[in-house]
Amino acid sequence: MFRELQFPKHQSYLRDWSNLEDWTNLKKMNLNMDLGMGLSNLGGPKEYDVIIVGGGPGGASAAIYTARADLRTLVIDKGLTAGALGITAKISNYPGVPGPIAGADLVEIMRRQAESFGAEFLTDKVVGVDLSSHPKMVMAGTDTFHAKAIILATGSMGRTNTVKGEAELLGRGVSYCATCDGAFFRDKPVAVIGNNDEAIEEALFLTKFASRIHLLVPTPAFKARQVLTDEITHHPNVTIQMGVRLKEIVGEDQVEGVRIQPRGGEETVLPVNGAFVYLQGGQPITDYLMGQVETTEAGCLSVDAEMQTSVPGLYAIGDLLCSHIKQAVVAAADGVIAAVAVDKFIHGRNKIQTDWK
Amino acid sequence: MALLQEADRKVLKEKFAELKNPVKMVVFTQEMECQYCKETRQLAEEVAELSDMITLEVYDFVKHQEIAEEYNVDKIPATIIMTGGDDPKDYGIRFYGIPSGYEFSSIIEDIMMVAGGETGLGAEMKAWAAALDKPVHLQVFVTPTCPYCPRAVLMGHQLAMESDMITADMVEAIEFPHLSNKYAVQGVPRTVINETIHMEGAAPEPMLLAKLKQAA
């Protein structure tokens, strides 16, 4: 049964564990049923012509064109509300879609369109890529994939700066992965800092271990799906503070607390042993590239007129490029340019099939 | 009850059909089996059953103390993946604690790597490993629910296979709390190199190489 259990959706595997009493049970469950977590790629990495990392307007538009050009296309995306368009409440200026329409709905329409041409979508987080291998390799949380070409469309909701103490205490109580590190905080208080799906899912996971979870939300409201905000709001072990700025992570050799400032309030230090940080900002998200592609000083990727980076077969679009106007339609157009270039790269074609010939 | 399900067996059998050279698994447990010793042994038995190219030797950590010393195994459950057949070779690939969850794939990857006889490391890393003149010991701390961890484990094991000077342990952090304490492990993967140098996360080869150069 491992195929059913190979965690097709990020949130679902967190849910599957929610009834677990303790770590022992968790491990037993891994043993009895979830060996498939790591087994899914044993048949060899799955092969695609093109993998698109990020399923916002840029990634989904690229997928429409690559799939329609008969390229085997996989889009890996963290979730509908993971990106800038996905969390936009109303959009009325997307050409051809009068609106107002929720950003997530607009993304969904684009994805359906891509799927209708054969593109596959996977809800997962890309944890790394290997650009030196042929074909190129994309490692997601649940599986590994090969592709002849990769289009990066991860947007620019990455963090700009770390706070004081964060880098120094990484692995000493500062973590970005609750599923990895939650067990180190059994019966201890922890802070989770963030406002999106990922932050809430990770906070819910931590309820299996931590004595108390302080969910510190940087904005006046969540930017996450209702089903998650409902669940976290009613959890007895979770204390939620809205509109709180994280100023510092405090500790000598390990995390002892977080210095926070509520809107218009005084700074205080909240004593915790763990700090799980899921903050977003306006920085291009390129951490999964692990330095294999050069970025500009501002952290952006540089591309040529066909959206190709300095690595042949690697393309970048949308908000990853600083030269651009940060609009959904611009990202979508970038995606199309990259898709045509990918088709050329793989097939040596000079032009894509058009509807108006 | 079998740990591996029928569908898993089928996938593994197909995978193991590619094995060109014999692989030996060595497992250390004890009579009063420790936490997860029983499951570790059973898992190894079920994996070994799937191919004629894989043999399994199970030893008692207490009764076969001299063998444990020979293999330099100091805690259990311990699993070793090495070349089998008439000309066996132990590369220093170790798993301490149960290789379950995401780490199950590390065992399988190691079997394939050892049978294939090629680590797949980059040229720069290979050159560094070839020039090594003193021992390097890597301990990669993991949890079974960590998707980033197998990358770090595999790279450690690739290095162990590449050079006789290098040994690399996967250490399941929750099963060995005294080691987690000793090396201040509160996040995984955490790679400890020669006791002193440590690295957080599953870093790409060039980053690990920089750390290795600091240590040796």
Side-chain angles (χ1 to χ4, degrees):
Chain A
M1 293 297 286
F2 77 91
R3 295 241 170 257
E4 277 85 359
L5 286 161
Q6 68 185 38
F7 304 156
K9 290 190 190 303
H10 181 61
Q11 62 269 30
S12 71
Y13 76 80
L14 297 179
R15 276 309 102 68
D16 286 346
W17 292 346
S18 57
N19 60 346
L20 291 169
E21 295 285 313
D22 57 31
W23 186 251
T24 310
N25 280 350
L26 181 61
K27 291 189 67 171
K28 277 187 185 149
M29 182 170 155
N30 282 334
L31 260 179
N32 294 336
M33 295 183 287
D34 282 342
L35 289 165
M37 281 198 293
L39 260 182
S40 53
N41 60 11
L42 287 178
K46 296 176 182 69
E47 308 277 342
Y48 287 88
D49 291 318
V50 56
I51 290 178
I52 300 166
V53 187
S61 300
I64 292 171
Y65 275 70
T66 55
R68 194 149 186 253
D70 281 336
L71 297 175
R72 203 169 168 224
T73 302
L74 175 69
V75 183
I76 306 176
D77 185 85
K78 286 199 287 186
L80 258 190
T81 54
L85 182 56
I87 59 164
T88 303
K90 282 177 186 168
I91 174 164
S92 300
N93 59 359
Y94 195 89
V97 185
I101 181 173
D105 292 341
L106 181 57
V107 177
E108 184 68 36
I109 292 170
M110 294 183 197
R111 291 188 186 183
R112 292 235 181 88
Q113 196 175 354
E115 278 174 335
S116 75
F117 293 121
E120 295 172 40
F121 282 78
L122 173 72
T123 305
D124 201 346
K125 183 176 174 178
V126 168
V127 298
V129 293
D130 185 348
L131 303 172
S132 61
S133 65
H134 299 285
K136 296 172 177 43
M137 199 193 289
V138 178
M139 283 90 83
T142 55
D143 217 333
T144 300
F145 304 94
H146 277 166
K148 293 171 188 157
I150 301 175
I151 299 175
L152 306 176
T154 40
S156 64
M157 286 187 61
R159 292 178 66 199
T160 319
N161 295 308
T162 54
V163 298
K164 196 177 164 203
E166 186 176 340
E168 295 81 353
L169 293 167
L170 176 63
R172 302 290 186 93
V174 172
S175 173
Y176 308 110
C177 178
T179 47
C180 302
D181 303 333
F184 297 111
F185 300 92
R186 176 179 293 286
D187 301 327
K188 292 175 181 168
V190 300
V192 175
I193 304 106
N195 63 3
N196 56 358
D197 284 7
E198 191 180 14
I200 299 177
E201 283 167 352
E202 296 278 86
L204 286 168
F205 182 81
L206 286 166
T207 60
K208 311 305 155 212
F209 301 102
S211 57
R212 174 133 308 264
I213 293 105
H214 297 275
L215 180 55
L216 308 172
V217 183
T219 44
F222 284 114
K223 294 186 175 177
R225 286 178 296 134
Q226 178 92 35
V227 56
L228 288 171
T229 58
D230 284 350
E231 191 174 345
I232 198 81
T233 307
H234 294 109
H235 200 288
N237 292 350
V238 180
T239 309
I240 300 172
Q241 292 188 55
M242 309 298 292
V244 179
R245 267 184 77 186
L246 175 68
K247 307 283 283 189
E248 182 186 352
I249 295 171
V250 187
E252 278 289 315
D253 291 327
Q254 52 185 37
V255 171
E256 290 161 23
V258 289
R259 185 184 301 281
I260 53 173
Q261 185 176 29
R263 241 160 235 240
E266 293 284 305
E267 279 186 17
T268 52
V269 174
L270 184 67
V272 290
N273 295 110
F276 292 81
V277 187
Y278 302 97
L279 288 171
Q280 294 176 313
Q283 184 81 356
I285 298 177
T286 57
D287 54 343
Y288 57 94
L289 298 172
M290 295 187 289
Q292 294 173 86
V293 188
E294 263 184 55
T295 54
T296 66
E297 248 173 61
C300 305
L301 293 175
S302 301
V303 292
D304 62 17
E306 295 193 313
M307 303 292 155
Q308 187 167 242
T309 65
S310 56
V311 179
L314 181 74
Y315 301 78
I317 58 174
D319 290 356
L320 282 175
L321 317 174
C322 286
S323 54
H324 276 43
I325 299 163
K326 291 192 174 182
Q327 288 291 303
V329 65
V330 175
D334 284 355
V336 174
I337 295 168
V340 175
V342 164
D343 193 40
K344 268 170 64 179
F345 177 77
I346 292 174
H347 287 136
R349 280 184 196 159
N350 284 322
K351 57 184 175 186
I352 203 161
Q353 279 189 315
T354 52
D355 283 336
W356 42 265
K357 61 187 165 215
Chain B
M1 197 184 99
L3 295 175
L4 283 175
Q5 303 198 359
E6 197 43 48
D8 299 350
R9 281 173 209 275
K10 195 164 163 278
V11 173
L12 287 172
K13 261 187 185 165
E14 278 168 25
K15 183 88 181 162
F16 289 156
E18 299 165 26
L19 294 175
K20 297 278 187 290
N21 296 298
V23 175
K24 183 156 89 171
M25 296 175 80
V26 183
V27 170
F28 286 87
T29 173
Q30 65 186 24
E31 198 168 44
M32 274 289 283
E33 286 188 314
C34 63
Q35 191 190 23
Y36 301 116
C37 273
K38 180 169 173 281
E39 287 88 350
T40 302
R41 175 180 52 77
Q42 193 184 338
L43 197 56
E45 285 169 357
E46 290 184 24
V47 169
E49 249 171 42
L50 298 173
S51 168
D52 294 340
M53 297 300 273
I54 305 174
T55 52
L56 171 66
E57 289 174 12
V58 178
Y59 294 107
D60 187 306
F61 186 58
V62 180
K63 287 184 190 161
H64 304 115
Q65 198 190 341
E66 71 291 352
I67 300 174
E69 278 166 15
E70 203 177 293
Y71 280 111
N72 214 5
V73 163
D74 60 356
K75 51 192 169 282
I76 53 170
T79 307
I80 299 168
I81 306 290
M82 56 184 282
T83 295
D86 299 331
D87 192 14
K89 180 169 168 63
D90 175 16
Y91 303 97
I93 295 173
R94 301 285 183 275
F95 291 84
Y96 291 112
I98 184 163
S100 75
Y102 284 110
E103 288 313 321
F104 184 66
S105 68
S106 300
I107 283 264
I108 306 301
E109 296 283 346
D110 281 356
I111 290 173
M112 302 307 294
M113 176 176 77
V114 166
E118 167 57 43
T119 63
L121 287 170
E124 213 182 325
M125 188 71 107
K126 282 187 174 188
W128 172 82
L132 256 186
D133 55 6
K134 49 191 163 190
V136 173
H137 180 212
L138 289 92
Q139 297 178 80
V140 185
F141 286 85
V142 304
T143 59
T145 49
C146 164
Y148 306 86
C149 291
R151 303 280 152 214
V153 170
L154 191 61
M155 205 178 290
H157 287 170
Q158 284 172 304
L159 281 163
M161 184 165 165
E162 191 66 44
S163 163
D164 290 343
M165 301 302 284
I166 305 173
T167 51
D169 309 341
M170 178 211 84
V171 183
E172 206 281 277
I174 310 299
E175 280 171 72
F176 300 101
H178 61 290
L179 290 178
S180 299
N181 278 337
K182 180 177 172 189
Y183 297 107
V185 180
Q186 283 195 320
V188 290
R190 182 179 171 98
T191 304
V192 179
I193 306 166
N194 285 0
E195 305 290 316
T196 50
I197 306 289
H198 59 83
M199 191 178 67
E200 315 301 329
E205 272 185 45
M207 273 172 73
L208 179 61
L209 183 55
K211 285 281 183 186
L212 287 165
K213 283 177 178 170
Q214 276 179 39

